[in-house]
Amino acid sequence: MNEARRPGAKSLIVILCVIGLVAGLGTWLYIDSRGEQDSCQELLQHERIPATLELAYESDLSCAELGAAIKRATTGPQTEQHSLDQAQAMKNVLVAIDNVIGEGPAPLDQQLTGPVSMALADYAEDMHAMLTPGNTEYARRALPSEKAWTDSEGVHMSIPLKSLVRIMTSLSVDPEAYATLRDAMTQQAAQEFAAAPRSKSKEALSPYPPITAWTLGTMDAVANAAREKTGKENSKDWEEKTFTRLSSKKAGQVPSFDEDPAGHIVATWRKSLPSDPPDDLIEVLEAQSTELVRVWSTALGTSSKVQASLVNDARGAAWSAQDSTLRDLRG
């Protein structure tokens, strides 16, 4: 009799286990989906957001609606042209995001990462200044209590360096967002080179490679950290999507250096990218600092000796920036 009942008991145990697993999976998915919404809800509840969004603010905005409202509040019709109110709105949003993501930093909902990364990229000059060591004005005005400001060069805003890096890393778990930010910093680096004197002298040119390389080296660290946060199973997909975005403008003519120096530098670098996604995108990104210097110094007609020295300076600064930033991010 006991033997006859044993198969039924075993079946019941199996059924109960399956039910438990399904219930557990359902609970995990529910919690996970709620977790994705938490960053949006926390951001909506942050004290700086209602005043920043003004009439666009509602306590029950979806993530997509919140992202769109942030972009409208922080940017205008002209690229990188901001009012003082828009710059203050951008600072308010960044302070709020930094509070929400924490030291981790936790990834943001993907419906937020797109519009927020586009808004932040519109402040590329400010980002570059914040990431550059020794910029005392930006460091002095970085505290949350400090306001956006205006000077002879335009409107500016600043937040602490570590906060900016955390925010960029959180956004960059989304490969599209990382590519948006990397594009912005690539363009800004090219603008810095374009503003340099048309000289062949090492002394005249030497200040520029370390500054631009430090910024791009920081972006290399952000790429490393963001890729890690996607998990091993998703890291290759992250690389492929990022590469596709960064290389999507490869086709077309390269403008002359004399007519469009920044455009020449960026377009020449894009054409140097491999035709297919590389085995390790990080290696390609890490080479950008030196490749931009080579393109720039070649266009200026510097000697091979001067070029080698400038390239070496860029390489050292990029590695130092990456190492320092990764140590900060990993604690």
Side-chain angles (χ1 to χ4, degrees), residues 27-46:
T27 302
W28 180 83
L29 290 171
Y30 173 72
I31 291 170
D32 187 59
S33 65
R34 284 175 57 86
E36 287 182 358
Q37 296 297 319
D38 282 349
S39 60
C40 301
Q41 289 303 313
E42 287 183 49
L43 205 51
L44 277 168
Q45 293 164 14
H46 193 278

Side-chain angles (χ1 to χ4, degrees), residues 52-315:
T52 297
L53 300 185
E54 296 182 333
L55 295 177
Y57 178 81
E58 292 180 21
S59 60
D60 60 348
L61 290 176
S62 68
C63 283
E65 291 168 336
L66 176 58
I70 286 172
K71 191 169 183 296
R72 284 195 301 270
T74 56
T75 60
Q78 299 294 320
T79 303
E80 295 188 33
Q81 296 294 315
H82 312 112
S83 68
L84 193 60
D85 285 344
Q86 287 169 339
Q88 183 60 47
M90 187 77 253
K91 174 160 184 163
N92 289 343
V93 167
L94 295 177
V95 169
I97 289 175
D98 192 42
N99 292 163
V100 167
I101 62 177
E103 296 288 330
L108 288 168
D109 186 278
Q110 198 165 11
Q111 293 180 92
L112 274 179
T113 54
V116 172
S117 64
M118 286 188 280
L120 183 54
D122 207 53
Y123 289 79
E125 188 175 346
D126 286 336
M127 288 174 64
H128 176 78
M130 285 184 268
L131 294 175
T132 302
N135 195 314
T136 55
E137 184 72 357
Y138 275 82
R140 184 174 69 83
R141 294 181 182 268
L143 290 174
S145 58
E146 292 287 333
K147 303 294 185 184
W149 74 99
T150 306
D151 60 20
S152 59
E153 296 180 355
V155 175
H156 312 282
M157 64 87 200
S158 178
I159 63 170
L161 169 61
K162 289 185 178 181
S163 296
L164 177 60
V165 171
R166 282 196 297 266
I167 292 165
M168 290 193 300
T169 302
S170 180
L171 292 169
S172 295
V173 175
D174 174 1
E176 285 285 332
Y178 179 75
T180 295
L181 296 175
R182 184 82 189 205
D183 263 340
M185 299 319 297
T186 299
Q187 294 287 345
Q188 188 61 37
Q191 292 289 351
E192 297 292 323
F193 286 132
R198 299 295 179 91
S199 172
K200 299 179 183 179
S201 159
K202 169 77 164 64
E203 289 70 28
L205 302 177
S206 60
Y208 295 89
I211 293 173
T212 55
W214 189 276
T215 301
L216 294 173
T218 303
M219 294 303 298
D220 295 340
V222 169
N224 265 298
R227 184 182 63 174
E228 284 179 10
K229 285 184 178 295
T230 66
K232 287 185 178 180
E233 68 279 4
N234 297 317
S235 61
K236 201 62 189 174
D237 182 61
W238 185 93
E239 289 193 22
E240 289 176 0
K241 287 179 178 176
T242 301
F243 176 79
T244 299
R245 257 294 308 278
L246 291 176
S247 62
S248 63
K249 300 176 183 177
K250 281 174 65 176
Q253 254 186 339
V254 177
S256 73
F257 184 76
D258 289 333
E259 291 179 1
D260 181 4
H264 173 86
I265 292 168
V266 174
T268 304
W269 171 72
R270 285 193 195 281
K271 284 193 173 293
S272 73
L273 294 173
S275 56
D276 297 313
D279 291 335
D280 187 352
L281 176 64
I282 303 298
E283 287 185 3
V284 173
L285 296 178
E286 289 171 347
Q288 186 186 33
S289 299
T290 55
E291 286 305 310
L292 293 183
V293 172
R294 284 195 184 94
V295 173
W296 168 62
S297 56
T298 297
L300 289 172
T302 63
S303 68
S304 58
K305 183 178 179 180
V306 168
Q307 183 178 92
S309 179
L310 296 173
V311 165
N312 191 56
D313 289 347
R315 183 181 293 110

